[in-house]
Amino acid sequence: MGYNLHITRAEHWLDADGEPIGRQEWNAYASGHPAMQHAGWIEWKDVGREAVYDWPAGYEDRSSLSWRNGEVTVTGVYTDYIPGLVAIAADLEANVVGDDGERYTSDGVVDAT
C-alpha cells in the first residue's frame, strides 16, 4: 500500500466526515479544473462508484484524486506537485494532510502534533 495525501476540511483526515467536502462539490470542482482529467472510476466498498481524476505531476507522472467520505484521497504522491494540491485545497477551503497527520502548506510541511 502506498502513501496517500488527503484534501480535507478537518484537521486530521480520519475526521473528514465531520467537516465534509461534498461529493457534488468535489466533482463540479474537479470536472471544471483545467489541469485535471477524468480518468475512470473506482469502486469503494463503503461509498460505491466514484470518479477518478488525474493530476499532472510532471515528467509524465500523474496522481489520482477521488472523493470518499467527505475528503479527496490523493494517490501516487510526488513532491513536485504538492504546491498544486495545496492550491486545490485552498480553493476548497481545506487542508492537505498526509497519512501520518502532517499538514502540507504553501510554506512547507507542518508535523503532526
Side-chain angles (χ1 to χ4, degrees):
M1 177 182 244
Y3 193 81
N4 295 328
L5 296 180
H6 309 267
I7 299 174
T8 175
R9 291 187 176 130
E11 289 299 314
H12 194 281
W13 65 274
L14 291 172
D15 300 323
D17 59 351
E19 299 178 60
I21 296 169
R23 174 185 280 149
Q24 288 83 8
E25 175 186 10
W26 165 249
N27 284 313
Y29 178 86
S31 64
H33 195 286
M36 281 192 231
Q37 297 176 355
H38 185 265
W41 303 92
I42 188 168
E43 187 72 33
W44 296 109
K45 288 183 180 181
D46 52 351
V47 297
R49 185 177 188 222
E50 290 296 330
V52 175
Y53 295 92
D54 275 352
W55 175 257
Y59 309 110
E60 298 183 17
D61 293 322
R62 301 188 76 76
S63 61
S64 296
L65 292 84
S66 180
W67 182 91
R68 183 178 184 198
N69 295 326
E71 64 150 317
V72 177
T73 300
V74 183
T75 59
V77 176
Y78 298 90
T79 56
D80 292 351
Y81 72 85
I82 289 176
L85 295 174
V86 169
I88 290 169
D91 288 346
L92 296 168
E93 298 178 1
N95 307 299
V96 177
V97 179
D99 279 346
D100 292 333
E102 75 282 9
R103 184 173 174 186
Y104 294 81
T105 71
S106 58
D107 295 325
V109 179
V110 178
D111 288 334
T113 56

